[in-house]
Amino acid sequence: AHVIAVATRNPSKWQKLIDAARRTSGTLYIPMVSKQTPDMSDTDLCRAAGCDLLKETPEICTWLKSVVKSPTTIGMYTYIDGEAHVRASLAVDAITMQLESTLGADGLSLAFLGSPAVACVVPEAAAQAMEANHQQGSWWHRPMSWCLGGFTPSALPPVRAANGDTFFVNDGYAVLQGPNYALAK
């Protein structure tokens, strides 16, 4: 496999990635702050590896365009606390759009870490089961609901599209995660 890693400048993390790559028959591409030379040790590579997604988005995009070949999958696995997570998500979106314009829609696929704490479309049967479970809650749901200000069903009312299709949505957002997480997702 060919893996193109985009990660921050953290020599110890790069050492782990390089060590893992050395144990495979694959190829690891890494962004460098200086040109790689044949005599560089792994320690030197780790010191020169990495980039800042929030500050170097255009440079990362240019580098990726030079190494990415079709077909490819972009995995977006970033997480940063607070509002920086929104900016990181937007940076990945901008890079993805540029790569799609270079590779074409058929040459690019996307991968994301799944999270139960997002809203997503679910089958009608799942929405019905969520509603039934909410109605048939265990004995402790009522007192806990009273203490916590109420449990809100996660199955939202059906959404009707302009073309007549009906979609069922599970609202998995948790208030504790805050608005930045919701916006980034």
Side-chain angles (χ1 to χ4, degrees):
H2 294 271
V3 174
I4 303 167
V6 176
T8 59
R9 292 182 184 98
N10 182 327
S12 64
K13 288 186 180 179
W14 280 107
Q15 187 65 61
K16 290 176 185 175
L17 283 171
I18 291 170
D19 288 347
R22 295 251 187 250
R23 292 189 302 269
T24 72
S25 60
T27 303
L28 176 65
Y29 297 84
I30 58 177
M32 306 278 291
V33 294
S34 59
K35 188 172 175 87
Q36 183 178 355
T37 61
D39 61 334
M40 283 181 111
S41 67
D42 282 358
T43 301
D44 293 334
L45 284 173
C46 293
R47 287 186 189 128
C51 53
D52 187 329
L53 185 60
L54 299 179
K55 295 178 182 172
E56 300 170 307
T57 307
E59 293 86 353
I60 294 168
C61 188
T62 300
W63 174 69
L64 287 171
K65 284 181 172 183
S66 74
V67 294
V68 169
K69 305 293 182 244
S70 180
T72 196
T73 299
I74 295 177
M76 197 291 219
Y77 311 119
T78 62
Y79 183 79
I80 305 171
D81 285 337
E83 58 79 31
H85 186 55
V86 176
R87 293 188 291 131
S89 295
L90 290 172
V92 172
D93 286 352
I95 290 169
T96 301
M97 288 172 54
Q98 287 296 311
L99 290 175
E100 182 183 17
S101 71
T102 301
L103 300 172
D106 292 337
L108 183 67
S109 59
L110 306 176
F112 295 88
L113 282 178
S115 170
V118 296
C120 58
V121 175
V122 296
E124 182 177 5
Q128 290 171 348
M130 286 185 282
E131 182 59 33
N133 288 339
H134 180 74
Q135 297 299 325
Q136 302 166 4
S138 297
W139 67 267
W140 57 270
H141 282 164
R142 281 192 174 64
M144 286 301 292
S145 178
W146 181 81
C147 292
L148 298 172
F151 290 141
T152 304
S154 58
L156 297 178
V159 177
R160 306 230 187 287
N163 68 358
D165 289 346
T166 301
F167 295 94
F168 300 87
V169 178
N170 172 47
D171 180 6
Y173 284 108
V175 174
L176 293 173
Q177 293 172 309
N180 291 323
Y181 183 84
L183 183 59
K185 292 296 176 185

